[in-house]
Amino acid sequence: MSKEFPSGKFERTTAMAKTGLKIGTNYAKFRLKEALGKKSTPESRSELNRTNANELFKEFSKLRGTALKLAQGMSLDNALLPEEFAEVLTQSQYGVPPINRVLVRGIIKKQLGDYPENIFESFEPDACRAASLGQVHRARTKDGRDVAVKVQYPNVRETIKSDLAVAKLLFKQIVKGDKADDYFAEVGNKLMEETDYLLEGQQIEAFRARYASESTATPEYLPELSTGTVLTMSWLEGRHLNELLKEDPSQEERNHFGQLMWDFFHNQINDSFTVHADAHPGNYLFMNDGRLGVLDFGCVKVCPKDFFLDYMRLFVAHRTRDEQAMKELYERLEIVPDANNFSPDDEKFYEYTLRLGKEFVSPYDHDTFDFADPRFFNAFTNLAREAVGFKEPRGSKHFIFVARAHLGMYQMLMKMGSKIDVRPGRAHLEEFLNRHEIAIAAAL
């Protein structure tokens, strides 16, 4: 069991630096051996990647907080990282070492006024899931309800500012442009929201009211057993994606759950302009009764109306290949400074986005789409790798979490190998676009 993680800026920065140095040294030794004539093999390079990935996960698990959030994001990116990194860092979604029992009891006593064994009919002292900002314990209330109790790690809020300061410093060294401050402010604000469990409780209630149905399950918030750092909600029973895939599910089951995920995403395109923005496998459950369980409502993005509508307009422009509309929207969405006066860098990026946009909207060109298609996977992977060549970040800060939700859905559908009936999502888009008088005749 890990003890309370370091929260001071100096010790966290030092730990990150040491981890980076150790990984860099491992790669340098490997390259030196190659230079001295020792031939590398795919197996030896894979082992090196796995060793370094395990080192990164081990150290970031001790730090938790923003550092582990970074690892969680990296685990979803099988385009920019070696496969072994994505495989190892997937543990950041499910298998972080928990904090010790005594500390958990103390937190609950401080927050809820008594020890867990006195508040609940039963309380499992070992966490069933530990993640970047907190861990979850299974319990039963005095009136017989099975619940999940999420306990926030101590001092995690205090680490966010210092971790982001270090990350921003590194970011500014490898990219150009003036977007860093806006981007990191957006990420920082969202992380602070994620550590406010009273806010998350309100968001659980809002999503439950909008989306809980015969096909989608969301937990029920228990405010009487919750505070800003302890969150109690009803228990949802199901399998995470890695557990589902280990069972080698039938294609019918892959299609069924993929369809629910597709429909849930598109149902969020509505006049609340609000999306569940933490679309990674640890936040979805595939339930035995056939429903899709949606978890973790700390990272919810409420979009400005103008941005949300322009995001939809850009989708239409890519569908119709309306380049004039695209350029105008790129300026409004802060992707280019002047739609009528492209610099050479703007031209290069614009050519790239034409290809990216074509792939991004291609599922909507069909009534059914097979996300197991290797051509689609390879095209997305190659485009993601190509994006690394652009050193200037572009676009409104609001893209960060909206695009994360959309791309996260695609990545999970590809991993599941689901074949989707596109029409329900497309019809929902059409209804939304019509309601806001966005031209769609040639697009949908």
Side-chain angles (χ1 to χ4, degrees):
M1 300 286 184
S2 63
K3 295 182 179 180
E4 181 178 343
F5 61 91
S7 58
K9 180 177 180 180
F10 176 77
E11 54 188 336
R12 291 180 69 82
T13 303
T14 301
M16 290 182 195
K18 285 182 177 179
T19 303
L21 180 61
K22 188 169 185 178
I23 290 173
T25 300
N26 288 344
Y27 278 119
K29 288 179 178 177
F30 185 83
R31 294 191 186 100
L32 178 60
K33 289 178 181 178
E34 287 183 317
L36 294 175
K38 183 176 180 179
K39 189 175 181 180
S40 66
T41 65
E43 291 77 16
S44 63
R45 185 165 290 278
S46 178
E47 182 59 31
L48 172 67
N49 289 334
R50 193 174 302 281
T51 297
N52 281 333
N54 277 312
E55 186 67 31
L56 185 66
F57 175 70
K58 180 180 73 173
E59 295 305 320
F60 277 22
S61 292
K62 294 176 185 176
L63 293 172
R64 291 184 169 84
T66 310
L68 198 55
K69 274 284 181 185
L70 174 62
Q72 191 178 83
M74 292 165 70
S75 74
L76 299 177
D77 201 341
N78 52 17
L80 305 182
L81 287 172
E83 181 181 350
E84 296 82 9
F85 269 79
E87 184 180 316
V88 169
L89 294 180
T90 297
Q91 297 175 75
S92 66
Q93 301 161 11
Y94 313 104
V96 179
I99 58 176
N100 67 66
R101 299 179 179 188
V102 174
L103 186 54
V104 170
R105 291 183 76 243
I107 292 171
I108 291 180
K109 171 71 162 59
K110 181 179 179 180
Q111 292 295 314
L112 298 183
D114 206 343
Y115 292 111
E117 61 268 26
N118 298 325
I119 295 174
F120 298 95
E121 181 67 27
S122 63
F123 181 90
E124 295 184 4
D126 292 326
C128 59
R129 181 190 173 206
S132 53
L133 304 178
Q135 63 187 43
V136 176
H137 294 257
R138 188 164 187 172
R140 177 167 290 176
T141 63
K142 294 287 188 179
D143 59 2
R145 289 178 289 176
D146 289 326
V147 294
V149 182
K150 184 159 72 168
V151 179
Q152 189 173 121
Y153 302 133
N155 298 328
V156 73
R157 287 175 68 90
E158 288 72 25
T159 69
I160 292 172
K161 187 175 181 179
S162 61
D163 283 0
L164 286 178
V166 174
K168 183 162 72 172
L169 182 63
L170 295 173
F171 184 79
K172 285 186 172 182
Q173 289 177 353
I174 60 176
V175 301
K176 61 180 182 178
D178 57 1
K179 291 285 186 183
D181 290 340
D182 279 352
Y183 288 178
F184 277 89
E186 173 78 353
V187 171
N189 289 338
K190 195 55 61 185
L191 283 169
M192 292 301 286
E193 288 179 7
E194 285 192 66
T195 58
D196 181 352
Y197 286 177
L198 293 176
L199 174 62
E200 182 172 354
Q202 295 170 13
Q203 292 172 164
I204 289 173
E205 289 184 322
F207 270 75
R208 184 176 176 83
R210 290 183 190 130
Y211 304 113
S213 66
E214 293 181 354
S215 60
T216 304
T218 62
E220 179 183 357
Y221 173 49
L222 277 66
E224 68 276 14
L225 293 172
S226 300
T227 69
T229 55
V230 172
L231 174 64
T232 303
M233 68 203 98
S234 59
W235 180 267
L236 297 184
E237 189 67 52
R239 299 150 290 173
H240 288 295
L241 181 58
N242 65 333
E243 297 165 330
L244 176 71
L245 294 179
K246 283 178 182 178
E247 298 174 1
D248 190 21
S250 67
Q251 189 61 50
E252 181 181 8
E253 193 170 11
R254 292 170 187 264
N255 295 347
H256 169 75
F257 283 119
Q259 189 70 51
L260 296 185
M261 193 170 291
W262 174 268
D263 293 343
F264 172 68
F265 172 81
H266 288 88
N267 286 341
Q268 294 177 82
I269 299 173
N270 56 52
D271 289 343
S272 71
F273 311 117
T274 301
V275 295
H276 182 284
D278 208 358
H280 71 76
N283 288 338
Y284 292 88
L285 287 175
F286 305 97
M287 303 174 69
N288 291 331
D289 63 8
R291 289 183 297 168
L292 175 70
V294 184
L295 306 173
D296 202 336
F297 294 87
C299 186
V300 168
K301 173 62 179 174
V302 182
C303 300
K305 179 179 178 180
D306 288 346
F307 168 83
F308 198 85
L309 293 180
D310 277 346
Y311 185 84
M312 293 296 107
R313 291 184 179 103
L314 185 60
F315 175 89
V316 171
H318 276 289
R319 287 291 320 277
T320 59
R321 308 297 284 172
D322 185 341
E323 293 196 25
Q324 183 57 40
M326 272 189 261
K327 289 179 179 179
E328 292 172 2
L329 287 163
Y330 281 1
E331 182 177 335
R332 293 216 298 262
L333 292 167
E334 303 174 37
I335 297 169
V336 297
D338 185 348
N340 298 311
N341 186 24
F342 274 13
S343 70
D345 284 345
D346 293 337
E347 287 286 359
K348 186 177 179 181
F349 189 77
Y350 179 66
E351 186 277 329
Y352 167 76
T353 57
L354 288 178
R355 292 182 285 116
L356 176 63
K358 182 179 179 181
E359 287 299 332
F360 191 80
V361 303
S362 63
Y364 299 86
D365 293 334
H366 313 274
D367 286 346
T368 60
F369 188 80
D370 188 356
F371 280 90
D373 182 357
R375 189 215 62 80
F376 184 72
F377 174 84
N378 291 333
F380 246 93
T381 299
N382 291 333
L383 285 162
R385 287 174 177 158
E386 190 176 342
V388 179
F390 297 100
K391 299 302 183 184
E392 181 181 358
R394 293 171 179 263
S396 163
K397 65 182 181 180
H398 302 298
F399 272 115
I400 295 173
F401 291 102
V402 175
R404 179 184 181 184
H406 209 157
L407 288 169
M409 174 192 66
Y410 276 18
Q411 288 171 323
M412 284 185 283
L413 292 176
M414 286 188 280
K415 192 168 185 178
M416 278 196 291
S418 301
K419 188 173 184 178
I420 300 300
D421 182 350
V422 175
R423 291 170 297 182
R426 201 165 58 195
H428 193 83
L429 272 171
E430 181 175 358
E431 190 276 330
F432 176 85
L433 295 169
N434 271 324
R435 188 164 66 250
H436 290 277
E437 298 182 345
I438 298 174
I440 60 169
L444 294 169

